[in-house]
Amino acid sequence: MSIKRNVCVTTLAIATSTVMLQAQAQEGAVRPLSDWNYEDIYEAGGIRADRLMDAEVFGENEEEIGSVENVLITRDNKIAAIIAQVGGFWDIGDTHVLVPWEEIELHEDGVMIPITEDNADEYGLFASDDYITEQNLSQIQQVDDDIDAGTGIWKLTDLLDDYAAVGEAIGYGYIDNILFSRDGEVQGVIVASDAAYGRGSYAYPFYGYGYGWAPGHSAYSLQYDEDEIGEMEPFDYERYESLLEE
């Protein structure tokens, strides 16, 4: 079991209660689950987080040069950049690079980035020892593999495997996957429910900051109660066309 999910019930309740208070001021923006339709997501297709994480990375000449290690997402829930490990077989050794999303092309088997053995050394190391922010995401640059995300940015790994709670901080399951549109906008989160609710995967709207979650919290509040989630149908991955193959 993931270390992130191995937290005590007391910690879950405190963290969830805090973010639920934040959400109360904005609860009018939370859409009823009765208006939530899987059919729209199935029809649109998109990018699965589990396919994007660790996906192969290709250079401009379509040679495999590394893999995706993390994804940086903005406060408005859109992918801003990826962090990739590249160049292990080059003279420069393993290097971590941040590549803006607009510089990325989806490849049949992963993602393609404009980095080659010849130009990899041209990208300088991120100058700050602190946090990377949205203002730092406009260009390709080398970064430390464990670079922290600052204000307005969160990492995909900040949310994956977090506990999912409903109602008054009731444990429901954990965040097992995230779905993104073809443009990189979050379509929803996939929750793997615990046995008490009948094991299965269910897709829910994601609201982000101030709506039951913030980076660093171990629990995400779904903004719905037990009665509402009881009406959900399992999410059918077979009907979701993923742009990245398994």
Side-chain angles (χ1 to χ4, degrees):
M1 179 179 288
S2 167
I3 293 175
K4 288 182 67 177
R5 289 158 50 196
N6 188 23
V7 296
C8 66
V9 175
T10 301
T11 301
L12 171 64
I14 292 173
T16 308
S17 296
T18 299
V19 291
M20 286 180 68
L21 287 173
Q22 294 175 336
Q24 286 176 356
Q26 305 177 64
E27 62 184 0
V30 175
R31 63 190 298 185
L33 279 182
S34 57
D35 294 343
W36 175 244
N37 191 343
Y38 288 172
E39 294 300 324
D40 294 336
I41 299 179
Y42 293 147
E43 183 177 346
I47 306 165
R48 290 170 47 171
D50 62 340
R51 300 275 175 86
L52 184 54
M53 290 289 288
D54 298 321
E56 294 179 349
V57 172
F58 299 87
E60 289 186 321
N61 57 3
E62 296 197 24
E63 68 170 330
E64 184 183 346
I65 62 174
S67 61
V68 176
E69 288 219 338
N70 220 324
V71 180
L72 298 174
I73 301 163
T74 60
R75 184 182 290 271
D76 59 354
N77 304 325
K78 295 180 180 179
I79 297 177
I82 67 167
I83 295 176
Q85 178 177 299
V86 302
F89 46 86
W90 297 339
D91 290 339
I92 63 173
D94 284 334
T95 299
H96 289 83
V97 291
L98 180 153
V99 184
W101 186 245
E102 58 266 23
E103 299 279 349
I104 292 167
E105 179 181 343
L106 292 179
H107 188 277
E108 182 180 72
D109 299 314
V111 299
M112 186 177 297
I113 62 178
I115 295 178
T116 65
E117 183 176 6
D118 294 331
N119 68 16
D121 271 336
E122 298 175 9
Y123 301 110
L125 185 65
F126 178 61
S128 174
D129 293 329
D130 298 322
Y131 304 98
I132 196 154
T133 65
E134 195 166 357
Q135 289 71 38
N136 305 129
L137 302 178
S138 60
Q139 60 185 13
I140 299 173
Q141 56 196 299
Q142 293 185 36
V143 295
D144 292 332
D145 60 344
D146 59 350
I147 187 73
D148 289 326
T151 303
I153 296 291
W154 54 278
K155 293 180 179 180
L156 193 52
T157 50
D158 287 333
L159 180 61
L160 288 174
D161 276 340
D162 276 6
Y163 269 99
V166 296
E168 296 297 324
I170 300 170
Y172 170 53
Y174 65 94
I175 305 297
D176 186 50
N177 214 337
I178 304 171
L179 306 177
F180 297 93
S181 71
R182 296 167 184 265
D183 296 327
E185 185 170 0
V186 177
Q187 295 170 316
V189 293
I190 302 292
V191 176
S193 62
D194 288 338
Y197 294 91
R199 293 193 183 278
S201 296
Y202 302 88
Y204 293 93
F206 177 69
Y207 301 102
Y209 283 83
Y211 290 87
W213 176 83
H217 289 173
S218 59
Y220 173 72
S221 172
L222 289 172
Q223 304 298 300
Y224 303 107
D225 59 31
E226 289 183 278
D227 291 339
E228 289 176 288
I229 65 169
E231 301 297 323
M232 298 290 290
E233 294 290 332
F235 187 80
D236 186 355
Y237 278 116
E238 295 295 324
R239 297 186 60 193
Y240 184 80
E241 182 181 355
S242 177
L243 299 183
L244 297 175
E245 296 182 358
E246 191 169 6

